[in-house]
Amino acid sequence: MLVLQRKKNQSLVINGNVTVSILEIGSDWIKLAIEAPKDVKILRAELMEAAEVNQEAAKELNTESVNALKNLVRKK
Amino acid sequence: MEILTKHFGSMEYTEEETVHFQDGLFGFEDYKDYVPIPLEEDSDAIICLQSLDDQDIAFIMMNPFLLSSVYRPKITAADRKALGNPNEEDISYYCICVINETLEDSTINLKCPIAVNALTRAARQLILDQPGYNFRHRIKDIEKDICTTNKKEVSHAGTAKKEKPVAGHKR
């Protein structure tokens, strides 16, 4: 993994065609500008994981686990 | 109306029971209409969220407040607006579960609750920016999990919220 330091208004270029610039720096956030060709897919990492967890949740169910879950709720 | 469900065969439902996700769910953006089917009559503890567009798409979700007395999702102004600006007491929250081979391995997603406007039945999956709420909490020790990772939040927590169930019809 490459770790580097950049200041406000500085940028870096990935693969010759993706430019990431630091627009603004807050207390616990930064604002980025990304210039990239249309076919480069950019996603917030948490969105990708959210989609992965949903995919897992939509698979087949284990009936025994569902029954155990019902029992757990009944005890509450 | 009749629907073929993933887990319960053919079922009757009414238009009023359906919920609409304008933006779909994460990874399921094209599937916007669902009917919540309670696993046990008159309880919103465990609900199967069945897609009306595709029989094979269904999620198990739970009322998180029955599992944890300290769970406090904070909806952003933008998300609230997308739901039609309901009051907090008119929003119901549910969390999607991954049900694995055993209950011990099964998890609940506290980071991405589904918020439902109980008045209009508009629904939206959120991503919370609150520390301590993750994509995968073991269902069995959800309370312990939140308390150890999120002590600060817990100390600020008030009394348990009263929820308006979105699913409670008889099957």
Side-chain angles (χ1 to χ4, degrees):
Chain A
M1 186 171 62
L2 169 72
V3 178
L4 46 80
Q5 196 167 308
R6 300 270 66 197
K7 291 180 176 168
K8 189 179 166 181
N9 295 326
Q10 290 184 330
S11 337
L12 53 91
V13 180
I14 302 168
N15 210 25
N17 58 0
V18 177
T19 306
V20 182
S21 314
I22 316 294
L23 290 190
E24 219 180 316
I25 303 172
S27 54
D28 65 345
W29 54 267
I30 57 167
K31 193 183 270 183
L32 299 174
I34 303 163
E35 285 180 276
K38 274 229 164 72
D39 60 334
V40 173
K41 213 174 166 187
I42 302 164
L43 262 184
R44 291 180 174 89
E46 64 268 30
L47 267 176
M48 219 160 102
E49 191 165 0
E52 279 169 20
V53 179
N54 280 351
Q55 293 286 355
E56 262 179 66
K59 66 183 185 196
E60 291 306 315
L61 287 182
N62 181 296
T63 318
E64 275 175 39
S65 298
V66 173
N67 288 335
L69 191 61
K70 286 183 188 171
N71 284 330
L72 179 80
V73 171
R74 283 195 202 110
K75 279 186 220 148
K76 295 260 169 189
Chain B
M1 283 168 283
E2 197 177 345
I3 183 186
L4 270 176
T5 65
K6 184 174 183 179
H7 304 300
F8 313 105
S10 170
M11 272 191 49
E12 284 289 324
Y13 74 98
T14 61
E15 187 71 40
E16 298 81 64
E17 289 173 47
T18 63
V19 290
H20 180 73
F21 292 75
Q22 199 181 343
D23 299 320
L25 276 74
F26 300 125
F28 294 85
E29 283 77 8
D30 295 336
Y31 303 93
K32 299 176 192 288
D33 292 292
Y34 292 82
V35 59
I37 305 166
L39 259 58
E40 303 206 87
E41 261 184 33
D42 296 322
S43 162
D44 78 333
I46 314 171
I47 291 171
C48 178
L49 188 65
Q50 171 67 51
S51 164
L52 291 175
D53 305 307
D54 185 336
Q55 182 196 348
D56 287 332
I57 296 178
F59 302 92
I60 294 293
M61 55 184 199
M62 295 185 77
N63 178 339
F65 305 109
L66 294 180
L67 288 176
S68 164
S69 57
V70 296
Y71 183 57
R72 293 286 179 283
K74 283 191 203 114
I75 189 167
T76 63
D79 282 328
R80 187 194 295 272
K81 192 176 169 199
L83 285 176
N85 273 322
N87 294 323
E88 189 59 43
E89 62 266 26
D90 291 324
I91 305 176
S92 298
Y93 293 94
Y94 296 93
C95 292
I96 291 182
C97 300
V98 175
I99 306 295
N100 284 317
E101 292 300 303
T102 66
L103 187 56
E104 276 70 24
D105 301 329
S106 300
T107 59
I108 185 166
N109 184 350
L110 296 183
K111 194 175 177 69
C112 311
I114 284 166
V116 185
N117 180 336
L119 303 178
T120 64
R121 300 185 80 80
R124 186 171 184 80
Q125 190 171 22
L126 318 177
I127 295 196
L128 301 179
D129 192 19
Q130 294 167 257
Y133 298 159
N134 302 319
F135 296 102
R136 291 181 179 86
H137 291 269
R138 273 160 44 111
I139 292 171
K140 279 211 120 171
D141 40 37
I142 166 177
E143 193 89 339
K144 197 173 73 198
D145 220 21
I146 301 181
C147 290
T148 48
T149 52
N150 203 11
K151 275 200 175 109
K152 269 187 200 159
E153 287 287 314
V154 173
S155 62
H156 292 301
T159 51
K161 250 165 72 98
K162 186 81 186 144
E163 285 303 301
K164 280 191 188 168
V166 295
H169 71 294
K170 293 198 167 96
R171 296 211 286 117

